[in-house]
Amino acid sequence: SVTPSSEVIERSPPVLKTKIASVDGSLEMDQQQLAPPKPKRSRPPPVVFKEDWSGKQERLRSKSAFGSHPEWRLLPVLVKSNDDLRQEQLASQLIHRMASILARAKVPVWLYPYEIIALTDRGGIMEAIPDTISIDSLKRNDPNFTDLRSFFEQHFGPPGCDEHA
């Protein structure tokens, strides 16, 4: 189970991360997928953040005693209980290593390795990805939710359209 934490965790200096971005962000698609008509979106997504992560980070940085440190950052975390995170921690370490190897080889992929700390065999702390929500939250807040693909296409258009790219 996941327990959202309302506490702010400040960490300085941050753990270095390897992020690998796609060269052009393009995907291969069939010719048929490139020309569908633009859908009419009747409403914006029902799940909207009250404050984006960078805004929250700057607001809290200005109030922090350590906010002037050049490597200060706000770290979103999930506190998990009744879950053994040791395998996830190992997988995260492998993803970090693979991201480093792929970056050195200049392979055009994008990986977001995140931190996992197993504190016991029944719980730990996981770094959350900023400006995201859980699928459970999406299901609870959008009465028309059926699946992720339909949600994405309803709000951003089908694959191949300008808004989708």
Side-chain angles (χ1 to χ4, degrees):
S1 66
V2 176
T3 306
S5 177
S6 60
E7 294 185 32
V8 174
I9 295 179
E10 295 180 23
R11 184 167 80 181
S12 182
V15 173
L16 295 176
K17 297 198 175 307
T18 304
K19 293 183 185 176
I20 307 169
S22 171
V23 174
D24 62 0
S26 64
L27 299 171
E28 288 186 37
M29 295 181 211
D30 294 334
Q31 198 64 26
Q32 296 171 334
Q33 291 177 311
L34 297 176
K38 278 190 174 181
K40 296 267 185 185
R41 283 183 284 299
S42 58
R43 59 185 172 72
V47 182
V48 179
F49 298 102
K50 295 177 183 171
E51 181 178 26
D52 71 353
W53 191 256
S54 61
K56 180 183 285 189
Q57 184 168 325
E58 287 309 309
R59 179 176 55 80
L60 294 173
R61 181 180 198 140
S62 69
K63 295 178 181 182
S64 171
F66 303 101
S68 61
H69 191 283
E71 294 186 16
W72 183 99
R73 72 180 184 133
L74 186 62
L75 181 66
V77 298
L78 298 171
V79 177
K80 295 195 76 172
S81 62
N82 299 321
D83 197 358
D84 189 351
L85 297 179
R86 292 176 293 184
Q87 286 184 331
E88 284 86 347
Q89 185 173 358
L90 175 62
S92 176
Q93 292 167 353
L94 292 172
I95 291 170
H96 275 276
R97 179 66 58 162
M98 188 53 87
S100 175
I101 292 167
L102 294 171
R104 273 184 274 148
K106 295 183 171 55
V107 176
V109 298
W110 183 82
L111 296 175
Y112 187 95
Y114 50 93
E115 300 298 319
I116 299 174
I117 301 171
L119 299 173
T120 69
D121 64 344
R122 294 177 37 91
I125 299 172
M126 294 178 68
E127 180 181 359
I129 300 173
D131 293 326
T132 61
I133 60 168
S134 67
I135 293 175
D136 179 63
S137 178
L138 184 58
K139 289 177 182 177
R140 283 186 281 123
N141 290 295
D142 185 352
N144 300 317
F145 182 84
T146 55
D147 59 66
L148 280 176
R149 182 182 183 124
S150 299
F151 177 84
F152 192 87
E153 288 179 1
Q154 179 182 4
H155 297 290
F156 303 104
C161 76
D162 292 340
E163 294 177 20
H164 193 264

